[in-house]
Every structure is written in C-alpha cells, then in structure tokens.
Amino acid sequence: MQHARFRLGSTSYVYPGDLLHNARSLAGQVSDIELILFHGAAGSNIPSKASVNLLAEIARANLMTYTVHLPHDLPATDGERADSLRHVQKIVQLFEPLDPYAYVFHITSAHAGSAQWTEGALKTLDALRSLMTDPARWA
C-alpha cells in the first residue's frame, strides 16, 4: 500500500520575534515556512540579503522550504501595475537564494468580478508570469 505524502507548513509568525527567530524555532518541525512579508508606513519586515542567506542555511540544514507571501496586494489597474511589479521583482530577486517553493499574492479586490477587474487581473497575472522562470510557483 502506498501512503500519501504530505508537507506540513506554518506561517512565519508563530513565536514572538522576526523571520529568522521563527525559522530557527520552527526548523525541524515543519516542511515549509510561509514568510509573511509586510512593508508600509507602520514598518517593514523585509529582510536584508544577509538574513536571506541565513534563512537559506537554516532551510538546507533542516531539509525545508519557504513560501514567500508578498507584502502588498497586486493591482488590477493599469496605472498602478508597473510600480507594483517593480517591487515584486525586487522581492523575487532578494529571495532567490531560498529557491522558494511558491509565492503567494492577492490581487486587489476593489471591483472584483467586474469585466474591467477581470481583464486587469489577467494582465497582472501575465506580467507576473514574465518575472518568473517557473510560473507554477505563483499561488
């Protein structure tokens, strides 16, 4: 009988502390950690390159992966898309050393379901696909 294989994951904020503290604390207990990112007027938790390299070391030593949850909803409107995608590209480049299992994002829900929103959301998805060598990583 063949058993189903599954992965156990967790968010990056289980314990009080930053991304590195949580990665160290969760290492060996989960298969994947979803790095919940935020960036705005209230602050940012986007790590430095040095911290990303430490996260990669933790993952390698514990045979685990990371999923990167983008810090902003992506726009479905043409006017905001270019700036937003430049920010996404910087994040994708920053997290390359992690070889993320996936990237999680949300598209703004203002006017969701309308034909205009749907068309804009599809344009955003097409633009995201061009940023990745493996579009299957976008969730």
Side-chain angles (χ1 to χ4, degrees):
M1 177 199 265
Q2 190 174 17
H3 295 280
R5 184 168 177 241
F6 66 94
R7 296 167 45 85
L8 179 63
S10 174
T11 68
S12 56
Y13 286 106
V14 174
Y15 302 102
D18 64 9
L19 297 173
L20 277 170
H21 173 75
N22 274 271
R24 288 181 181 119
S25 298
L26 292 166
Q29 299 180 61
V30 297
S31 306
D32 185 84
I33 298 173
E34 183 175 350
L35 302 174
I36 308 295
L37 302 178
F38 60 87
H39 180 78
S44 176
N45 74 335
I46 297 176
S48 66
K49 286 183 181 186
S51 292
V52 170
N53 289 331
L54 289 172
L55 287 167
E57 287 177 23
I58 293 167
R60 280 191 299 275
N62 292 280
L63 302 174
M64 65 181 197
T65 59
Y66 296 104
T67 296
V68 177
H69 192 129
L70 298 180
H72 301 290
D73 286 356
L74 300 178
T77 58
D78 292 339
E80 301 171 339
R81 187 175 299 112
D83 285 341
S84 182
L85 291 174
R86 277 192 288 279
H87 192 247
V88 169
Q89 188 168 27
K90 288 177 184 177
I91 289 178
V92 168
Q93 290 170 343
L94 175 65
F95 286 95
E96 275 181 359
L98 300 184
D99 191 25
Y101 182 74
Y103 289 86
V104 176
F105 65 93
H106 304 272
I107 296 179
T108 54
S109 59
H111 310 290
S114 70
Q116 183 180 3
W117 180 88
T118 301
E119 181 181 329
L122 290 172
K123 286 180 182 178
T124 297
L125 292 172
D126 282 342
L128 277 175
R129 188 179 5 231
S130 72
L131 295 177
M132 298 294 293
T133 55
D134 183 5
R137 289 188 182 202
W138 290 99

